[in-house]
Amino acid sequence: MKLEAEFNRIEEVAAGFNTHYEVFKYMKGLTQDLGMTAFLIMTLPTVDFVEIGATKIITNWPAEMVDYYDAHNLMVDSPVIRRMLRSTSPFNYDVEAINTDRGEGKKSTVIELFKRYGMEKGAYFPVHDAAGGRGAMSISGSRNFSMIEMAKLLFIATLIYDRLSQLTLNEKHKPIEFTRNELDCLRLTAGGRKGAEIAKLLDLTENAVNNHIGSAIKKLGCTTRTQAVVSALRLNILRV
């Protein structure tokens, strides 16, 4: 009965999320409660996506880690992605063991990267939405999970991904009003421009640029510039 009550509570909490930011706060708290380091909720990549930056929905992976991961093409031939595309079963991972068959260059690079950020172990939970879109949740840190923890986290992953899909669908049908400066700053950010460069191009102060970008981030329900850019591209607010 105790476990059933806990599952009912989780279901109620997930149903109450109204923004991506609320999901982000919940996942951050859950990760900390489990004694882990980082979480990632992503769409599973198609042939068109070879960067984790383009597939993540929400995460607290350090931005510099995501940039390094993509700069070294670590998603290409990823054994984790291959496994999730073949099966919907959740699984624990150890970064050394799961990368055994990679080429020596990528093997050592990815192992060093995940260890550097304290994410050498954890689990992935493949999920899907009502439209058949496939995704996954991962929680990473210094340990693996028990069978009971895996069952609970798979339930959470299923509810969270379904709720995020609903929120994204609602966003697509609910126009978000942006000012011209907000859109310009967001577009230039998507193009890789820094705050000082954007200020010069738009004849604004750097503080004004930061305010415009901050406002756009809030309207999109995001927490970082990178998340806001990905969300704006996904919703066709930006085209770069």
Side-chain angles (χ1 to χ4, degrees):
M1 289 297 294
K2 182 179 178 182
L3 188 60
E4 182 178 353
E6 185 175 6
F7 274 48
N8 287 334
R9 181 186 60 80
I10 293 169
E11 193 168 22
E12 290 176 3
V13 170
F17 293 135
N18 292 310
T19 66
H20 284 65
Y21 181 61
E22 290 176 4
V23 178
F24 176 87
K25 289 195 297 184
Y26 173 82
M27 288 302 304
K28 184 177 180 181
L30 173 66
T31 301
Q32 291 172 342
D33 290 344
L34 290 166
M36 301 297 272
T37 303
F39 72 87
L40 168 68
I41 299 176
M42 65 183 295
T43 57
L44 286 186
T46 65
V47 293
D48 299 320
F49 294 110
V50 294
E51 296 182 350
I52 201 155
T55 61
K56 70 183 187 300
I57 301 175
I58 57 171
T59 185
N60 67 340
W61 282 25
E64 59 272 21
M65 180 182 180
V66 173
D67 291 343
Y68 188 92
Y69 188 99
D70 288 342
H72 288 78
N73 297 315
L74 296 179
M75 180 174 281
V76 177
D77 73 9
S78 164
V80 170
I81 298 298
R82 285 203 309 270
R83 179 165 178 169
M84 289 193 292
L85 289 174
R86 290 196 311 264
S87 170
T88 57
S89 297
F91 58 93
N92 277 305
Y93 81 88
D94 177 287
V95 70
E96 290 194 20
I98 204 165
N99 284 282
T100 300
D101 295 332
R102 279 213 190 193
E104 192 55 41
K106 279 192 176 180
K107 176 182 175 181
S108 58
T109 298
V110 74
I111 290 173
E112 191 279 329
L113 178 65
F114 278 76
K115 285 188 172 183
R116 185 193 316 164
Y117 290 97
M119 297 163 58
E120 59 268 30
K121 293 183 179 182
Y124 276 83
F125 304 86
V127 288
H128 61 84
D129 59 28
R134 298 186 63 189
M137 179 182 88
S138 76
I139 297 182
S140 305
S142 59
R143 71 180 181 92
N144 291 134
F145 295 110
S146 69
M147 290 294 290
I148 294 297
E149 287 177 314
M150 291 290 282
K152 176 180 173 181
L153 289 170
L154 178 59
F155 183 66
I156 291 173
T158 302
L159 293 175
I160 291 291
Y161 197 76
D162 181 68
R163 187 59 186 152
L164 284 171
S165 297
Q166 293 174 25
L167 291 174
T168 299
L169 184 63
N170 290 340
E171 287 174 352
K172 287 181 178 178
H173 290 86
K174 179 182 175 184
I176 305 173
E177 297 294 331
F178 293 94
T179 66
R180 171 47 56 189
N181 280 332
E182 287 170 350
L183 286 174
D184 286 343
C185 289
L186 203 57
R187 175 176 52 79
L188 290 167
T189 299
R193 302 283 187 172
K194 305 300 183 184
E197 295 177 287
I198 296 172
K200 187 175 181 180
L201 287 168
L202 298 180
D203 195 23
L204 298 170
T205 66
E206 191 168 351
N207 185 57
V209 168
N210 291 334
N211 287 338
H212 290 312
I213 294 175
S215 177
I217 290 172
K218 185 176 180 181
K219 288 179 179 179
L220 287 163
C222 297
T223 55
T224 68
R225 296 186 181 199
T226 300
Q227 289 173 10
V229 166
V230 172
S231 179
L233 289 169
R234 189 175 68 244
L235 296 171
N236 290 320
I237 293 168
L238 290 181
R239 293 178 179 84
V240 296

